Amino acid sequence: MLAATFERLLPRVDTPPDDGPVREQLIALLTAQADLIENAPLQLTTLSWLAMGSITPDPGAPPDSGAVTSLRAQVIRRYREPFDHILTSPEARAHLGDLDTSFAIIQLLGPIVFARLTGLYSIDHDDCARLVDDFLTAHRG
């Protein structure tokens, strides 16, 4: 029941058009993600994530139900797919080389999630641009 409810609550994450530079695509995607995270009901989202468990559960814990495992995989796929689309593009590879896209997503989204969970800061478009610029600077070859 939790899996079905949470699946209905998941907002759609669209991939930005790939007709612009990687920087602009990442800023558009990160801003859209920041808006989704900012507008998500914090208590419900946190409780739902906790109830879904970890990707690498405790070996002694009972296995998750098939519905929860499937939902977890769908959530991960839904949120990472637009980033993978951009970060594995020929233009991104030319500028950034071969990077670990999972870690790149963590680097880009981590500050936004942290800011939302702690309430320390509200991330806006300019902040997303700064996060992307810092990311691109750190990864340029």
Side-chain angles (χ1 to χ4, degrees):
M1 190 156 97
L2 169 70
T5 302
F6 192 61
E7 186 172 356
R8 277 189 238 124
L9 292 173
L10 284 177
R12 180 163 171 74
V13 180
D14 295 320
T15 302
D18 46 329
D19 58 352
V22 168
R23 177 184 182 271
E24 300 308 317
Q25 290 179 55
L26 283 172
I27 290 170
L29 177 57
L30 203 59
T31 300
Q33 293 267 355
D35 289 344
L36 289 174
I37 291 167
E38 182 66 30
N39 294 318
L42 187 58
Q43 284 182 310
L44 176 62
T45 304
T46 303
L47 290 173
S48 298
W49 274 105
L50 289 172
M52 280 192 345
S54 171
I55 293 173
T56 55
D58 177 8
D64 290 332
S65 74
V68 171
T69 301
S70 173
L71 174 62
R72 185 181 303 118
Q74 182 179 346
V75 168
I76 292 167
R77 181 189 52 75
R78 186 178 289 185
Y79 284 91
R80 80 169 292 144
E81 202 169 65
F83 284 101
D84 285 336
H85 178 77
I86 295 169
L87 295 170
T88 60
S89 71
E91 182 187 353
R93 294 282 187 201
H95 291 291
L96 304 171
D98 188 33
L99 54 91
D100 179 345
T101 55
S102 294
F103 195 71
I105 293 167
I106 291 167
Q107 288 178 305
L108 290 164
L109 276 178
I112 294 169
V113 173
F114 180 79
R116 176 69 171 126
L117 286 174
T118 61
L120 287 175
Y121 196 80
S122 181
I123 302 289
D124 63 17
H125 176 80
D126 292 337
D127 298 319
C128 290
R130 187 170 30 173
L131 289 169
V132 167
D133 288 340
D134 290 349
F135 172 81
L136 293 174
T137 298
H139 288 282
R140 284 207 170 100

